[in-house]
Amino acid sequence: EVQLVESGGGLVQPGGSLRLSCAASGFTFSSYSMTWVRQAPGRGLEWVSYISSSSSAIYYADSVKGRFTISRDNAKNSLYLQMNSLRDEDTAVYYCAREGVSPWFDPWGQGTLVTVSS
Amino acid sequence: QSALTQPASVSGSPGQSITISCTGTSSDVGRYNFVSWYQQHPGKAPKLMIYDVSHRPSGVSNRFSGSKSGNTASLTISGLQAEDEADYYCSSYTSSSTRVFGTGTKVTVL
């Protein structure tokens, strides 16, 4: 069964840092691009970042560029999101998702909640 | 990176058909056939319903269909059922190689 499991969320003060992880299983992780998507409480989905299978291509939403860093470890079947200089507006459930041959997302993890508050 | 525009809500009675629009620009929806649609029930992760404008993944009901004309993509749900009540989001690839989601549509089954 293809599965993605996020971890690392929690409560952090504004200006702080957090590192999210996404553990993949049930498929050849090194063959797929991956994406992070977030959803603020009661709000819609927001695409955050993309990384290609070999990490050769990386893209970010303008809202996180310069503060967030996406990375992966294909040997560990894991995806990461390093979040620095966190702001109140970064509060959201963060999902990791596998990208298909073209830019669609399936499956998604269950999400991990990040709360930025003093 | 402005979000794609969707109606905030759409409703219909059981058995009816409804259509959700997703309007972008010539830099995203209008340029690429990389529009996908997602269903999200409260407290759950999104689920892929349509990819590449009109393709249905295995296991998704054929009551769901997608299309595109110009800068606007559409998701049609035919034979509306109670279980279809959820939030729906479109997504598109962009000319900057980023991805963008729609504003989301709440579907209510009357």
Side-chain angles (χ1 to χ4, degrees), chain B:
Chain B
Q1 291 182 340
S2 298
L4 308 175
T5 301
Q6 298 180 230
S9 63
V10 173
S11 62
S13 300
Q16 286 187 331
S17 293
I18 61 169
T19 297
I20 303 168
S21 61
C22 169
T23 301
T25 70
S26 57
S27 296
D28 38 62
V29 175
R31 177 171 292 193
Y32 306 99
N33 287 327
F34 293 148
V35 175
S36 50
W37 289 89
Y38 303 86
Q39 176 191 65
Q40 186 180 35
H41 287 109
K44 300 294 187 182
K47 174 187 175 184
L48 177 68
M49 305 302 285
I50 295 287
Y51 66 95
D52 293 353
V53 174
S54 60
H55 293 82
R56 251 186 336 270
S58 173
V60 171
S61 172
N62 59 10
R63 298 185 298 103
F64 291 84
S65 61
S67 62
K68 191 186 86 167
S69 178
N71 296 339
T72 299
S74 299
L75 174 71
T76 297
I77 308 175
S78 58
L80 199 62
Q81 298 180 359
E83 67 209 50
D84 300 332
E85 186 160 293
D87 293 327
Y88 291 83
Y89 296 90
C90 60
S91 179
S92 176
Y93 182 72
T94 81
S95 59
S96 302
S97 299
T98 60
R99 287 86 171 124
V100 62
F101 281 98
T103 50
T105 299
K106 181 177 180 60
V107 169
T108 301
V109 180
L110 301 171

Side-chain angles (χ1 to χ4, degrees), chain A residues 17-91:
Chain A
S17 298
L18 211 56
R19 189 195 196 205
L20 304 183
S21 299
C22 171
S25 60
F27 65 101
T28 304
F29 180 71
S30 60
S31 296
Y32 289 86
S33 300
M34 298 293 293
T35 277
W36 286 99
V37 177
R38 69 184 180 182
Q39 186 170 35
R43 305 294 295 273
L45 301 175
E46 180 187 12
W47 175 80
V48 173
S49 184
Y50 161 94
I51 185 168
S52 63
S53 58
S54 64
S55 304
S56 59
I58 287 175
Y59 302 104
Y60 298 98
D62 288 344
S63 57
V64 307
K65 198 175 296 182
R67 301 187 299 121
F68 289 12
T69 302
I70 191 172
S71 64
R72 64 190 295 162
D73 186 334
N74 287 342
K76 294 184 177 180
N77 291 337
S78 293
L79 173 72
Y80 306 102
L81 187 67
Q82 177 66 44
M83 304 186 296
N84 298 331
S85 303
L86 283 162
R87 306 166 179 168
D88 290 350
E89 55 266 34
D90 295 319
T91 293

